[in-house]
Amino acid sequence: MVVANNKSNQRQPRALSPGWRCAFRSMAAGVAAALLSIGLSACGGGAIKPASMDITLLGFNDFHGNLEPPRQAVVAKNAQGQSVAVPAGGAAYLAQAVAERRAASRHVAVVTAGDMIGASPIVSSLFLDEPTIEALNLMKVDFAATGNHEYDQGADELLRMQNGGCKKFTSKEPCQLSKPFKGAAFQYLAANTIREDGKPLFPSTGVKFFEQDGLRIGVGFIGMTLKNTPHMVRPSGVKGLRFTAEVLTANVLIPQLRAQGADVIVVLVHEGGSTTSSLQDHSCQGLSGDIVPILEQLSAEVDVVISGHTHRAYLCDYAKVNPKKPFLLTSGGLYGTLLTEVKLTVDARTRRVSQKSASQNIVQGEAYTGSAGVVALQPDFPVFGADADVAQLVARYKAAAQPLAAMPVGRLAAAALRMPHSNGESVVGRMVADSILAATQDGAAGGAQLAFMNSGGVRADLVPDASGQVTYGQLFSVQPFGNTLMVMSLTGEQIRQVLEQQFNSGTNTVDAPRILQVSQGFGYRFDRSQNAGQRVSDIRLNGRPLDMAQTYRVGLQSYLGTGGDNFSIFMQGTEVVGGMLDVDALVEHVRAQSRAAPMALPLQERIARVY
């Protein structure tokens, strides 16, 4: 049974059953020891209440609508102790992994830690992520925290994901295949997403109860997203919402969960970190990131924290970091490549967790060919079959998207990767910035002289086929958000301040900067060892130093233009002109650059890193 609300649901004392009354009479007759030794009552053979209950949590995060195998590999040690790349992911294989691990345990809850939708490939995004919700329904997910990307299309559209229906809240048509779209069978939890009326957008908590031979244990879940969501989503996506501090929200809710009958406390939070530990290592070695200060303030009553957001995989016995905080911390990487399995033993007498452990299941389903060649199946790791129902669902949506996704756009001279270099640039990032400039530099389109692109908005590699061809679907995967282009006027000094904000603005820090991708003809140097406000130098446009007093026309997309990723200076821009969709600009750029020959990749650095 699942309960998902904020109301008290206290456990009431129960009268002794006839079986127990009979057992006590038997004890009086002097046969109690024998009965206990064989685990039976004297009347009717009913089982005695167990001393403990084993419960399994299956969790994953940052799925991002990757219904098809995402051409990703998980690095793990094989039986010979060698590091190998294990091909992983795909909704049908993930569903089968969930089903098999569910079958291995008597009491199971399936939960997610945010970003199930948003920034999705075309097979999901073209249909407003309805197929991803339907796939999660088939996996029988119980509870899901919201991530920042759940808010990409706004609160009304997210509510439609929960409740179903075909009301239109975006530029895309809902219910193209599912008529009507039924919504999520699982419950979104959003404890720290607060509406204007002061109430959470979704329930704050949920409880799932398990029963075994008269023993009833409740597992309580608190679902939250990161408090910095407003800085990561366009303003329209979080209009009318505010996001409270994660740790304060969680700690306040624990007594309420206890009152609802929760014996185990689990936090699902879309915030994370990283470790230097190997895949199955619980040591927490090198744990860092924004999750750490949350954990340090989190109540010790929490048993498990299932996290996300950073796209990293880790298992962490946090007691090794802070003995006063003996909870498990987990994250399952990204795109459904891993299924985290948490095992809990709950003592029947104390009604508290007495043992806990966690492991990662690699969702190996099929081999793929990437930029480095074939990534073959690894026989030392389980290979999951494809769940028939989910495979059929994915095939249905893939067929509907295929005509657009398969449309050839142009040819590339080689694979263009999104992996950032040491200076923060990537080849695909430069391509996207160049496409923005190309689409906005005409006077009628705004007259841009340079362009910026946020690195986080570049979502996929571009790997051409044997003939060098790339398709619309591939380009869509690079730019899946549906942002529009814009051009604004900024002074040279404001541009300099934007560049400084890469290292010192909100979550942008000197240790974790958000390096903007820049268009051809623009460049600068940065030195992180310098003081704040003095880290950027030698800013040049087309070979000439940028004039701090002169006004320049800057091209970008609407996410940055409205202050996304903590680049608030862009909101000071004037004479703003709107433009086309960002993916359309990329399509036109690749097509134009590859008419005569395969497009040469922008390999030359534009940003010089000193330190």
Side-chain angles (χ1 to χ4, degrees):
M1 180 174 68
V2 176
V3 178
N5 56 44
N6 299 314
K7 296 180 180 180
S8 176
N9 184 25
Q10 297 191 33
R11 236 180 358 257
Q12 299 299 321
R14 285 186 279 179
L16 289 175
S17 67
W20 278 108
R21 290 196 297 268
C22 186
F24 286 137
R25 289 196 299 271
S26 298
M27 291 177 191
V31 298
L35 293 175
L36 290 172
S37 68
I38 62 173
L40 298 175
S41 74
C43 305
I48 286 179
K49 186 182 293 185
S52 64
M53 180 185 291
D54 293 330
I55 295 172
T56 297
L57 309 178
L58 300 176
F60 55 101
N61 51 275
D62 296 274
F63 185 67
H64 288 292
N66 276 265
L67 297 172
E68 297 182 275
R71 295 155 60 100
Q72 295 274 331
V74 174
V75 177
K77 298 283 188 181
N78 64 13
Q80 292 73 43
Q82 301 168 322
S83 292
V84 294
V86 186
Y93 301 122
L94 177 61
Q96 185 62 28
V98 169
E100 290 186 21
R101 299 318 303 156
R102 186 197 302 274
S105 300
R106 182 170 180 176
H107 308 297
V108 179
V110 182
V111 294
T112 73
D115 279 7
M116 294 297 100
I117 59 175
S120 307
I122 194 169
V123 173
S124 184
S125 183
L126 188 63
F127 306 100
L128 285 167
D129 284 317
E130 292 172 4
T132 293
I133 298 296
E134 293 171 343
L136 296 175
N137 287 346
L138 291 171
M139 296 180 206
K140 299 179 182 178
V141 170
D142 292 296
F143 297 108
T146 58
N148 52 291
H149 283 291
E150 261 82 15
Y151 298 90
D152 283 344
Q153 304 299 330
D156 288 334
E157 178 64 5
L158 180 53
L159 287 167
R160 190 181 75 87
M161 291 293 98
Q162 176 74 78
N163 301 320
C166 298
K167 191 171 181 179
K168 186 175 180 179
F169 299 107
T170 76
S171 60
K172 296 177 184 177
E173 287 297 325
C175 301
Q176 294 179 56
L177 270 66
S178 295
K179 301 180 183 295
F181 170 61
K182 295 181 180 179
F186 55 90
Q187 179 62 61
Y188 271 119
L189 303 178
N192 66 329
T193 303
I194 309 302
R195 305 181 306 189
E196 290 178 330
D197 62 4
K199 298 179 180 179
L201 181 66
F202 293 111
S204 298
T205 63
V207 183
K208 185 168 185 177
F209 291 97
F210 301 98
E211 297 193 18
Q212 179 181 339
D213 300 329
L215 175 62
R216 188 171 191 252
I217 297 293
V219 180
F221 298 91
I222 301 170
M224 299 180 293
T225 191
L226 69 170
K227 66 179 179 181
N228 284 316
T229 292
H231 301 293
M232 309 186 76
V233 178
R234 70 184 92 180
S236 61
V238 293
K239 184 179 181 181
L241 301 174
R242 61 183 177 89
F243 295 79
T244 59
E246 305 96 338
V247 67
L248 297 178
T249 302
N251 288 345
V252 166
L253 290 171
I254 292 172
Q256 297 179 30
L257 273 174
R258 295 291 192 207
Q260 293 176 43
D263 306 296
V264 181
I265 303 295
V266 180
V267 173
L268 311 174
V269 58
H270 191 72
E271 181 60 281
S274 64
T275 70
T276 57
S277 305
S278 59
L279 187 65
Q280 306 289 3
D281 182 4
H282 292 64
S283 68
C284 302
Q285 184 176 354
L287 178 65
S288 62
D290 291 335
I291 192 69
V292 176
I294 295 173
L295 299 174
E296 283 298 300
Q297 299 177 66
L298 196 60
S299 169
E301 288 193 64
V302 172
D303 297 294
V304 182
V305 178
I306 297 177
S307 65
H309 185 56
T310 56
H311 292 193
R312 302 296 183 90
Y314 45 81
L315 304 172
C316 177
D317 178 1
Y318 198 72
K320 296 179 179 180
V321 177
N322 184 346
K324 296 180 180 180
K325 309 285 184 177
F327 35 68
L328 277 179
L329 168 68
T330 74
S331 176
L334 76 169
Y335 300 167
T337 55
L338 292 169
L339 177 66
T340 306
E341 185 168 357
V342 177
K343 290 187 173 294
L344 306 173
T345 298
V346 183
D347 186 279
R349 181 181 62 82
T350 64
R351 308 195 68 84
R352 294 294 181 265
V353 174
S354 59
Q355 293 181 330
K356 49 194 166 189
S357 63
S359 60
Q360 303 281 23
N361 296 284
I362 302 176
V363 183
Q364 181 175 217
E366 63 183 60
Y368 70 91
T369 301
S371 58
V374 176
V375 180
L377 293 174
Q378 295 294 330
D380 290 335
F381 299 89
V383 177
F384 294 97
D387 178 272
D389 291 337
V390 175
Q392 183 179 17
L393 170 78
V394 175
R396 178 171 173 246
Y397 279 97
K398 181 179 179 180
Q402 188 66 18
L404 179 60
M407 182 180 70
V409 172
R411 292 180 296 157
L412 302 184
L417 305 182
R418 66 189 286 255
M419 176 65 69
H421 301 157
S422 61
N423 66 348
E425 290 187 90
S426 70
V427 176
V428 176
R430 294 188 195 112
M431 287 178 62
V432 172
D434 288 347
S435 73
I436 296 173
L437 180 61
T440 56
Q441 62 187 354
D442 184 84
Q449 298 164 274
L450 67 147
F452 292 111
M453 176 63 193
N454 62 304
S455 298
V458 180
R459 303 301 296 191
D461 296 333
L462 274 177
V463 181
D465 64 14
S467 69
Q469 190 71 245
V470 290
T471 64
Y472 180 87
Q474 289 177 283
L475 297 178
F476 188 98
S477 295
V478 173
Q479 296 254 261
F481 293 105
N483 287 308
T484 56
L485 301 188
M486 56 197 302
V487 181
M488 62 177 59
S489 291
L490 293 171
T491 65
E493 172 59 21
Q494 287 173 315
I495 294 171
R496 188 194 69 80
Q497 291 176 22
V498 163
L499 297 177
E500 291 287 351
Q501 284 192 314
Q502 296 174 122
F503 310 98
N504 187 30
S505 179
T507 55
N508 307 347
T509 67
V510 68
D511 294 322
R514 293 182 186 272
I515 301 298
L516 294 168
Q517 308 297 292
V518 300
S519 57
Q520 186 175 16
F522 183 80
Y524 62 94
R525 298 164 65 88
F526 72 83
D527 184 347
R528 295 187 302 167
S529 68
Q530 299 298 313
N531 294 328
Q534 300 176 0
R535 297 185 174 113
V536 174
S537 62
D538 195 23
I539 309 172
R540 292 179 176 268
L541 178 61
N542 299 323
R544 297 183 178 183
L546 206 67
D547 186 334
M548 295 297 107
Q550 183 178 328
T551 297
Y552 297 90
R553 297 290 285 167
V554 178
L556 66 174
Q557 33 81 313
S558 52
Y559 173 74
L560 276 180
T562 52
D565 279 358
N566 299 300
F567 289 102
S568 58
I569 298 297
F570 284 129
M571 298 175 68
Q572 300 175 13
T574 60
E575 302 175 285
V576 178
V577 175
M580 65 173 68
L581 286 172
D582 52 5
V583 66
D584 292 343
L586 182 59
V587 167
E588 290 304 315
H589 180 63
V590 172
R591 182 176 288 141
Q593 293 294 312
S594 61
R595 284 197 176 102
M599 177 181 175
L601 302 184
L603 301 177
Q604 187 172 355
E605 288 187 349
R606 300 166 185 180
I607 303 170
R609 172 183 172 177
V610 178
Y611 172 77

